[in-house]
Amino acid sequence: MGKAMLLLWQKALWMDELPMIHYHGTPITPAAQIARMAGRHFCVSFARPDNLAHCLRIGQSLMFDNGAFSVFTRGEKPDWPAYYRWLAPLLAPPHWAVIPDVIDGDADAQSALIQQWPREYGHLGVPVWHLALSIDWLLELCDRFPRVCFGSSGAFWKIGAPGWRQRMDEAFNALHRTQRFNTWIHGLRMLGQTDGGWPLASADSTNVAQNHARTGCAECLANRVDSQNPRLWWNPRDTQLELIA
């Protein structure tokens, strides 16, 4: 399908919902709770691989998180070679992994870690664009990789806050303006943001892991989360950030 035809098709369906892939963060305990979630997609962090064997057995696909946020909050130093070794027997389609990133680091710091990504893992590794970094850096990543993760950082660390929502609008405006329709955008910790209209192809969160104990049914909560999808098409929006620029 040519780009022009694809554009017309997407515009014709802009009111439809995109069947986003929902990655449920782990660990989910006790084991009986995650067992009833068979057939779903899971996110397993290098920092907390407790449910790894179970997820490999029952999951449709897995995304492997690098654990950078956990390391950052604990004030520890990351061991990226250990992360690469951990991924070695696991990384094969349809599974994929988040390339190491520096929380609140600049584009040079992120680029250095992308360069260190093992060549044999190829595009099964997905880089992170931090919302606090430049739109130009986002567009460069989209040109280099078929998937890009959006991560909240800096002034945009609080997911769902007004400034955060404006920054998401600005990012998708740029993707639309430059016709980068083929990049798969994954929202880190963004499963609860489907009301924003951003056409995320996938997202993850620990919503089920953190809250299922209140209802005693992880599967029930996952059903509600999985039933919420974003729009297929993005309508450009005015943003104060763009007006200031």
Side-chain angles (χ1 to χ4, degrees), residues 63-220:
M63 64 166 285
F64 301 108
D65 183 67
N66 60 39
F69 186 76
S70 297
V71 170
F72 176 77
T73 56
R74 294 197 299 260
E76 299 174 354
K77 184 177 179 180
D79 185 351
W80 298 133
Y83 176 56
Y84 303 145
R85 292 192 297 271
W86 179 70
L87 288 174
L90 304 171
L91 204 51
H95 310 322
W96 57 276
V98 180
I99 293 175
D101 61 310
V102 181
I103 306 299
D104 288 339
D106 61 17
D108 288 340
Q110 316 299 349
S111 182
L113 285 174
I114 290 172
Q115 302 243 347
Q116 294 172 21
W117 180 248
R119 185 180 301 272
E120 61 269 26
Y121 297 164
H123 283 165
L124 293 177
V126 180
V128 180
W129 174 67
H130 292 263
L131 270 65
L133 298 183
S134 73
I135 294 294
D136 286 343
W137 175 237
L138 166 63
L139 299 180
E140 180 179 336
L141 290 175
C142 290
D143 287 339
R144 294 169 55 188
F145 292 88
R147 299 191 195 201
V148 173
C149 294
F150 277 21
S152 306
S153 66
F156 312 106
W157 69 270
K158 188 174 182 180
I159 295 176
W164 182 91
R165 297 174 76 86
Q166 279 193 349
R167 185 59 168 171
M168 289 287 287
D169 288 351
E170 186 183 23
F172 277 99
N173 282 352
L175 294 176
H176 182 274
R177 183 174 61 249
T178 57
Q179 298 188 17
R180 285 169 169 83
F181 303 116
N182 296 326
T183 303
W184 179 299
I185 302 298
H186 176 88
L188 294 170
R189 303 186 295 129
M190 296 184 191
L191 271 187
Q193 301 301 316
T194 53
D195 64 331
W198 307 292
L200 297 168
S202 60
D204 68 88
S205 81
T206 55
N207 187 316
V208 173
Q210 292 182 352
N211 298 305
H212 74 84
R214 291 186 296 180
T215 64
C217 180
E219 179 187 16
C220 301

